[in-house]
Amino acid sequence: MKTKPVKHKTTNTFRFIPFAERINSIDIRHAALYHIEHAYTSHPEENETHFYLALQKWHVLNLTENFKKFKKEVFGVITIAQLIHKKDEVLEIVERYLKLEDQLCLQPLLEILVSLAKDLRNDFYPYFPKFLDILIKLLNTKDPERLEWTLVCLAFLFKILKPYLKKDIETVLKRVVPLLSDSHPQYINNFAAESFAFVARDIRDKSKFIHHLLNYLLTNDQAIVGTGHLIFEICKGVSSQMSHHHFTLFDC
């Protein structure tokens, strides 16, 4: 009696994940944030910095040519005192390598940027606008990994720099609000609304903030829907964080 031939699998177990599906799976507030937070579970020693820890971590994880060059240029910066002394030089180097948009070393550079913000705080903030411009430019991509790394980096920078951002809202407003326009994909609109709302909820002069928003819309009506989403996110956060006797978004 003949044995039946063994049937081979005709289906491929690898499934191509469309760009839209990959983007929708990015969870900025939970899973994605964990990856960067996890890098700092071991806190720096007394004389070390988050910057130095991040460099140590990626020293063995990324062996690309550009990252090797980057490490060589920032070599020897270990302590906070050294970093503060050389902050102009170090941040200029980071800026230069980020502008290369080298996919092979982009992730470590973005994480290192976050580490510098954590170390320098107020000293980092004057440099934030130019880095924000670079990061917004990096969002112009169809590569889901680059997009996720950039969004996570932005989310952390907003979180770390929140005390300074809410005092300088116009600087951020003119850069972030354009991301709410119809010319950008929905996932960028959503991120811009949620991340900016995180900062805007703590603004004391909310009537002035609304005035700035409305002025922007006078010449940028393509951002009306996105701005509505932003205001919704702010109201949602305010209502969940404050009791009824506190002021609301539109109190004057």
Side-chain angles (χ1 to χ4, degrees):
M1 184 177 177
K2 290 184 179 180
T3 56
K4 291 183 178 180
V6 178
K7 289 185 178 179
H8 295 283
K9 285 177 71 174
T10 56
T11 57
N12 191 339
T13 54
F14 174 79
R15 185 173 72 89
F16 173 75
I17 302 175
F19 177 75
E21 189 175 335
R22 279 289 300 273
I23 297 309
N24 290 333
S25 70
I26 296 175
D27 189 343
I28 292 299
R29 289 161 294 183
H30 298 100
L33 287 178
Y34 169 77
H35 295 304
I36 287 183
E37 199 70 78
H38 183 67
Y40 304 120
T41 50
S42 56
H43 294 286
E45 297 294 331
E46 187 178 347
N47 291 319
E48 292 179 346
T49 58
H50 289 103
F51 171 67
Y52 179 70
L53 279 185
L55 278 175
Q56 291 294 99
K57 169 191 168 181
W58 286 102
H59 175 72
V60 292
L61 294 178
N62 192 291
L63 303 175
T64 62
E65 283 305 310
N66 274 331
F67 193 63
K68 286 179 183 177
K69 292 176 184 175
F70 170 79
K71 287 185 299 183
K72 189 174 180 180
E73 290 196 48
V74 297
F75 179 78
V77 180
I78 299 171
T79 67
I80 283 288
Q82 290 171 331
L83 182 56
I84 290 174
H85 178 66
K86 291 194 167 185
K87 67 178 186 295
D88 290 339
E89 181 183 341
V90 170
L91 289 167
E92 185 276 326
I93 294 167
V94 174
E95 178 187 0
R96 179 157 37 88
Y97 277 87
L98 278 175
K99 284 181 175 178
L100 294 177
E101 298 188 16
D102 182 354
Q103 182 78 2
L104 297 177
C105 64
L106 185 59
Q107 186 181 16
L109 288 172
L110 290 172
E111 187 170 321
I112 284 166
L113 182 64
V114 170
S115 73
L116 287 167
K118 291 187 79 168
D119 286 326
L120 295 171
R121 303 281 174 169
N122 190 44
D123 287 328
F124 177 87
Y125 188 70
Y127 305 86
F128 175 66
K130 68 179 178 183
F131 281 111
L132 182 56
D133 290 338
I134 292 170
L135 295 173
I136 287 173
K137 188 171 182 287
L138 287 173
L139 291 176
N140 184 27
T141 181
K142 285 293 184 181
D143 183 277
E145 288 188 334
R146 169 171 150 175
L147 187 62
E148 180 171 9
W149 300 334
T150 307
L151 289 175
V152 171
C153 178
L154 278 166
F156 263 95
L157 290 178
F158 273 103
K159 179 181 178 183
I160 294 163
L161 301 174
K162 184 178 180 179
Y164 319 109
L165 289 169
K166 66 184 183 182
K167 296 175 184 176
D168 184 29
I169 206 69
E170 289 182 58
T171 298
V172 192
L173 188 67
K174 67 183 180 183
R175 288 173 167 83
V176 174
V177 172
L179 296 178
L180 298 169
S181 73
D182 297 338
S183 61
H184 290 285
Q186 187 64 48
Y187 52 84
I188 298 295
N189 293 162
N190 292 344
F191 173 79
E194 291 171 17
S195 60
F196 194 65
F198 173 73
V199 176
R201 287 181 200 123
D202 285 355
I203 298 171
R204 292 192 177 185
D205 192 347
K206 289 184 170 59
S207 59
K208 183 179 178 181
F209 169 67
I210 294 297
H211 177 72
H212 284 308
L213 269 182
L214 294 176
N215 274 345
Y216 178 82
L217 290 177
L218 288 175
T219 53
N220 298 273
D221 59 2
Q222 75 278 10
I224 289 175
V225 174
T227 304
H229 183 188
L230 168 62
I231 293 173
F232 168 76
E233 289 292 337
I234 296 171
C235 291
K236 184 173 70 172
V238 169
S239 63
S240 64
Q241 292 173 17
M242 300 180 178
S243 57
H244 292 300
H245 66 272
H246 283 105
F247 58 84
T248 62
L249 177 65
F250 297 101
D251 280 344
C252 298

